[in-house]
Amino acid sequence: MKYIYILFLLLSSLSYSQQPYYDGIDFNQIGLDLKTALANKISSNNTPLPYSSSSYDTWDALKETDKDPDNSSNVLLIYNSSSVPKDNTLGDGNTGPEDWNREHVFARALAGPSLETNVPGPGTDIHNLRASNPAVNSDRGSLKFADGNGTYGAVSGGWYPGDDWKGDVARIIMYMYVRYDGDGTSVEETYCWPSNVGIGSNTSTPDDMIDLFLQWNADDEVSAIEMQRNTVSENRVQKISII
């Protein structure tokens, strides 16, 4: 699903350049028809990892996907932009000030049903997981995303990811929206509606997409770490990419 940010542009009537991954998709379609075609594309050959395991799991994947582009020994944390040693995971029992854990960008409690991690599935999808500072992760909790400016933090009853991260968040939410669009009756039918995880109007967008994420996508271009995550995820992890 390479360069899924194009989907944002399509759904918001902006221009785009088709990427090779999308060969076979009819881009004359618009709105929900295009969404369905993309959902079919990205749902094939997509194998989520175990959350925690003695074998290769999401901890291992994040050490690769979220590696600091300027320091290969570190991971770059979402929201506060700290660079910390990649082996300082809470999963390995570390509890120091430079440790990191796993943030579900689409908060677990806001999906339907709640994102579970006991088996590989929507709750372990690496595209929705980012390395994060444990205290910042706790502060965000299950707050919905809301508009703001400057640095990250709680705003207007929601959570602003920060100017440098709002595009990353928007594209992750778009992926979850397209990938998991069930009726909520089972894990296999998980839905991740943008209107459940963000504060904004959906009057001019289809199927519970909200203008907040479309605007964030346009405002904050794809970053180096997103490109890195895309490459690693496509080639090594889930065989699928989101930008």
Side-chain angles (χ1 to χ4, degrees):
M1 190 195 51
K2 202 167 185 178
Y3 295 95
I4 200 168
Y5 69 92
I6 293 170
L7 179 56
F8 277 81
L9 305 185
L10 287 165
L11 292 178
S12 56
S13 300
L14 300 177
S15 62
Y16 71 96
S17 298
Q18 184 173 340
Q19 304 296 324
Y21 184 89
Y22 289 111
D23 289 350
I25 299 291
D26 179 7
F27 280 98
N28 291 316
Q29 301 175 99
I30 60 173
L32 297 184
D33 289 336
L34 178 58
K35 177 192 170 188
T36 298
L38 289 169
N40 292 336
K41 175 73 173 179
I42 67 176
S43 297
S44 62
N45 196 30
N46 183 353
T47 306
L49 297 170
Y51 196 57
S52 298
S53 170
S54 58
S55 60
Y56 191 89
D57 61 15
T58 59
W59 288 114
D60 299 311
L62 286 173
K63 291 177 183 180
E64 295 186 77
T65 59
D66 290 18
K67 179 176 65 178
D68 185 343
D70 297 320
N71 185 345
S72 61
S73 296
N74 286 9
V75 291
L76 187 64
L77 307 187
I78 195 171
Y79 307 140
N80 72 347
S81 302
S82 292
S83 179
V84 302
K86 65 182 181 182
D87 291 328
N88 283 15
T89 67
L90 295 187
D92 290 337
N94 297 303
T95 57
E98 288 196 325
D99 298 323
W100 61 276
N101 64 5
R102 298 164 293 187
E103 157 79 330
H104 283 81
V105 177
F106 196 110
R108 295 171 62 182
L110 301 181
S114 178
L115 299 176
E116 300 298 333
T117 58
N118 57 329
V119 295
T124 74
D125 193 314
I126 195 65
H127 295 304
N128 188 42
L129 296 173
R130 295 296 298 257
S132 64
N133 176 275
V136 175
N137 191 338
S138 178
D139 287 344
R140 189 266 165 133
S142 295
L143 290 175
K144 292 186 177 184
F145 292 110
D147 206 8
N149 62 79
T151 190
Y152 70 93
V155 292
S156 302
W159 180 261
Y160 183 60
D163 292 350
D164 292 337
W165 295 100
K166 61 184 180 181
D168 303 57
V169 165
R171 288 178 279 275
I172 289 170
I173 299 304
M174 173 61 78
Y175 165 76
M176 296 297 283
Y177 157 73
V178 174
R179 176 66 181 86
Y180 302 107
D181 188 28
D183 60 16
T185 57
S186 65
V187 171
E188 291 74 19
E189 290 291 332
T190 296
Y191 63 80
C192 293
W193 295 339
S195 58
N196 280 18
V197 75
I199 300 172
S201 171
N202 62 3
T203 57
S204 60
T205 55
D207 196 27
D208 291 286
M209 174 49 62
I210 59 175
D211 54 12
L212 175 73
F213 298 125
L214 296 174
Q215 188 61 54
W216 282 0
N217 170 73
D219 289 344
D220 181 23
E221 295 182 353
V222 175
S223 64
I225 196 167
E226 285 183 274
M227 296 297 292
Q228 172 182 278
R229 283 175 55 85
N230 184 68
T231 299
V232 172
S233 297
E234 183 179 6
N235 295 333
R236 279 185 46 79
V237 184
Q238 288 181 195
K239 306 302 181 185
I240 190 170
S241 51
I242 74 168
I243 60 174

